Amino acid sequence: MSWIFLAIINVFATAVANLYQKIAMREEKSDPISSAIAFQLLTGVCYLVFALIKGFQLPPISLAPYFLGTMTFYAAGTVFIFKAIKLIEASEMSIISGVGAIVTIITSMIFLHDTLSPTQLIGAGCILTAVVVINLKKNGFVINKGIWYAMAGTALYGSAVIFDTTIIRVFDAVSFIPIGSFGTALVMMTAYPKKLPRVVQQLKKIDKNLLIYSLLYATSTIAFYLALATGAKVGQVSTVVRSAIILTVLLSSVLLKERHDMDKKIIGAILTTIGVILVSN
């Protein structure tokens, strides 16, 4: 199977997954925290099956601090993202996700001593402009609570990449994914022990929308790693998968009726896509 086909699978799985996350969380009775925990457990099962097929390995104990770091950041990030999608649209969430790329390059400069190129600086400017565009209202520039949650979540995800990079440099990436997912769920359960009964209830009577979201999200991640395994360069695959941002905006307008301010959303989606591609180079 060619890398481009796998990248396309990633794009469609990501875009449709974004819609199902919103569908799952727009129910009045849905709880962001217990749903976030259930999501990490469900995706963890998918990743573990994939890892067992490919050849699962246990990590060296020396990586424990890095695993703890990435699990903590992903746990906090997942909670914020699920709180955000409860309040904002899937299209807005997709556009805001570009903020994570900016945080990644900033933290990479600080902790991994990477350098910031003029191209990346332009990309960061495009992403920030996209955030401004989708939050421009008649009464000025307004950022609601959902947008703040979204930016916090994507920023935490972007910071977690630093730990991920350190781990993957010396440990098998396929084995790392399920450990990280289950560990992230464990961190959240430790932080929110009162949510455990509701998590158990959700897993017994799984919300089909949350289940579909988890399966599609896991599929997109696995397709990404399989694309890289074919020998494709990270830059090649990353460039293709960024189109999921635009596809999410288009699909959400048709299937979720998120049609207000479409001009701003399309401009924001294009700017974010361009920005993330430039930042990734």
Side-chain angles (χ1 to χ4, degrees), residues 11 27 30 81 83 85 89 131 200 232 236 239 241 261:
V11 170
E27 297 293 333
S30 62
I81 286 173
K83 284 186 174 183
I85 201 63
E89 297 179 341
V131 174
V200 173
Q236 288 178 310
T239 300
V241 302
D261 292 334

Side-chain angles (χ1 to χ4, degrees), residues 179-260:
I179 296 173
S181 191
F182 284 126
T184 298
L186 181 60
V187 171
M188 286 190 284
M189 287 188 284
T190 303
Y192 301 98
K194 293 182 179 179
K195 296 292 182 179
L196 290 179
R198 182 152 188 170
V199 173
V200 173
Q201 184 180 13
Q202 278 191 294
L203 293 175
K204 284 183 177 180
K205 298 179 180 179
I206 294 180
D207 177 350
K208 67 176 183 179
N209 294 314
L210 182 63
L211 176 60
I212 294 172
Y213 166 60
S214 302
L215 292 174
L216 287 170
Y217 187 97
T219 298
S220 69
T221 302
I222 291 170
F224 180 82
Y225 279 102
L226 286 177
L228 295 179
T230 64
K233 295 180 181 179
V234 175
Q236 288 178 310
V237 182
S238 297
T239 300
V240 175
V241 302
R242 300 308 176 193
S243 58
I245 298 171
I246 297 175
L247 185 58
T248 298
V249 172
L250 296 176
L251 289 179
S252 64
S253 68
V254 176
L255 302 177
L256 300 184
K257 312 298 182 185
E258 297 179 357
R259 294 172 184 167
H260 70 281

Side-chain angles (χ1 to χ4, degrees), residues 27-232:
E27 297 293 333
E28 188 175 342
K29 63 180 180 180
S30 62
D31 177 65
I33 296 174
S34 61
S35 296
I37 296 171
F39 160 73
Q40 289 290 352
L41 291 173
L42 290 169
T43 53
V45 171
C46 297
Y47 297 146
L48 181 59
V49 171
F50 177 64
L52 290 172
I53 293 172
K54 299 291 288 186
F56 180 75
Q57 303 173 25
L58 289 174
I61 192 67
S62 60
L63 290 177
Y66 299 101
F67 271 95
L68 180 60
T70 193
M71 291 169 185
T72 301
F73 275 82
Y74 277 123
T78 303
V79 169
F80 276 119
I81 286 173
F82 269 80
K83 284 186 174 183
I85 201 63
K86 182 81 175 173
L87 301 173
I88 65 176
E89 297 179 341
S91 51
E92 293 176 311
M93 184 74 237
S94 181
I95 295 169
I96 295 297
S97 67
V99 172
I102 298 178
V103 175
T104 297
I105 61 170
I106 293 174
T107 51
S108 295
M109 288 173 58
I110 297 172
F111 298 103
L112 301 180
H113 307 294
D114 290 346
T115 56
L116 178 65
S117 68
T119 300
Q120 289 176 315
L121 192 60
I122 294 172
C126 288
I127 294 170
L128 292 176
T129 302
V131 174
V132 172
V133 167
I134 66 170
N135 286 287
L136 278 177
K137 310 297 180 184
K138 291 182 179 179
N139 56 339
F141 179 62
V142 180
I143 299 182
N144 60 40
K145 185 165 66 173
I147 296 293
W148 282 118
Y149 281 156
M151 289 196 292
T154 54
L156 286 162
Y157 269 31
S159 300
V161 172
I162 302 304
F163 295 101
D164 295 349
T165 302
T166 303
I167 293 170
I168 293 174
R169 282 176 178 174
V170 295
F171 182 59
D172 177 49
V174 173
S175 300
F176 160 66
I177 304 173
I179 296 173
S181 191
F182 284 126
T184 298
L186 181 60
V187 171
M188 286 190 284
M189 287 188 284
T190 303
Y192 301 98
K194 293 182 179 179
K195 296 292 182 179
L196 290 179
R198 182 152 188 170
V199 173
V200 173
Q201 184 180 13
Q202 278 191 294
L203 293 175
K204 284 183 177 180
K205 298 179 180 179
I206 294 180
D207 177 350
K208 67 176 183 179
N209 294 314
L210 182 63
L211 176 60
I212 294 172
Y213 166 60
S214 302
L215 292 174
L216 287 170
Y217 187 97
T219 298
S220 69
T221 302
I222 291 170
F224 180 82
Y225 279 102
L226 286 177
L228 295 179
T230 64

